[in-house]
């Protein structure tokens, strides 16, 4: 993923997601399948959820946007801190 630039447009889709019974991971397990007895996985820092069945999510809203200077400055100022917590 690259940085967003002023004037660019994009689309974001918001989904309702049903996690069901979740397995809290203690370390990253990239590429592994679903843990038996669970419906989804949650990352160690609880900032990512992984579902394995597309029937667990449904699109609700579509947001179309155009990046303006203020948005670009906010994104640059975040430096990934939102996801680090």
């Amino acid at each position: 993923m690259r940085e967003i630039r002023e004037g660019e447009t994009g689309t974001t889709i918001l989904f309702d997601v049903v996690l069901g019974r979740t397995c809290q991971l203690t370390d990253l397990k990239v590429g592994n399948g679903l843990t038996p007895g669970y419906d989804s996985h949650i990352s160690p820092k609880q900032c990512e959820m992984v579902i394995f069945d597309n029937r667990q999510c449904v699109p609700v809203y579509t947001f179309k946007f155009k990046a303006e200077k203020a948005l670009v400055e906010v994104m640059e100022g975040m430096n990934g801190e939102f996801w680090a917590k």
Side-chain angles (χ1 to χ4, degrees):
M1 190 162 83
R2 65 173 180 75
E3 294 179 12
I4 188 169
R5 296 184 181 105
E6 186 176 354
E8 291 184 332
T9 59
T11 303
T12 298
I13 302 171
L14 177 70
F15 287 83
D16 269 342
V17 178
V18 177
L19 297 175
R21 185 178 164 132
T22 58
C23 178
Q24 173 71 51
L25 300 178
T26 56
D27 58 348
L28 293 179
K29 297 179 180 180
V30 178
N32 286 354
L34 177 62
T35 301
Y38 293 93
D39 302 304
S40 61
H41 291 169
I42 297 181
S43 67
K45 292 186 179 182
Q46 299 184 354
C47 63
E48 297 173 294
M49 293 111 206
V50 179
I51 59 171
F52 295 85
D53 185 337
N54 62 7
R55 293 174 295 175
Q56 288 176 256
C57 66
V58 61
V60 179
Y61 296 104
T62 301
F63 300 95
K64 295 185 182 215
F65 64 88
K66 181 177 181 181
E68 296 181 4
K69 186 174 182 173
L71 174 61
V72 173
E73 289 172 354
V74 168
M75 297 296 286
E76 288 172 351
M78 290 179 68
N79 293 325
E81 292 177 21
F82 177 80
W83 300 110
K85 294 182 180 181

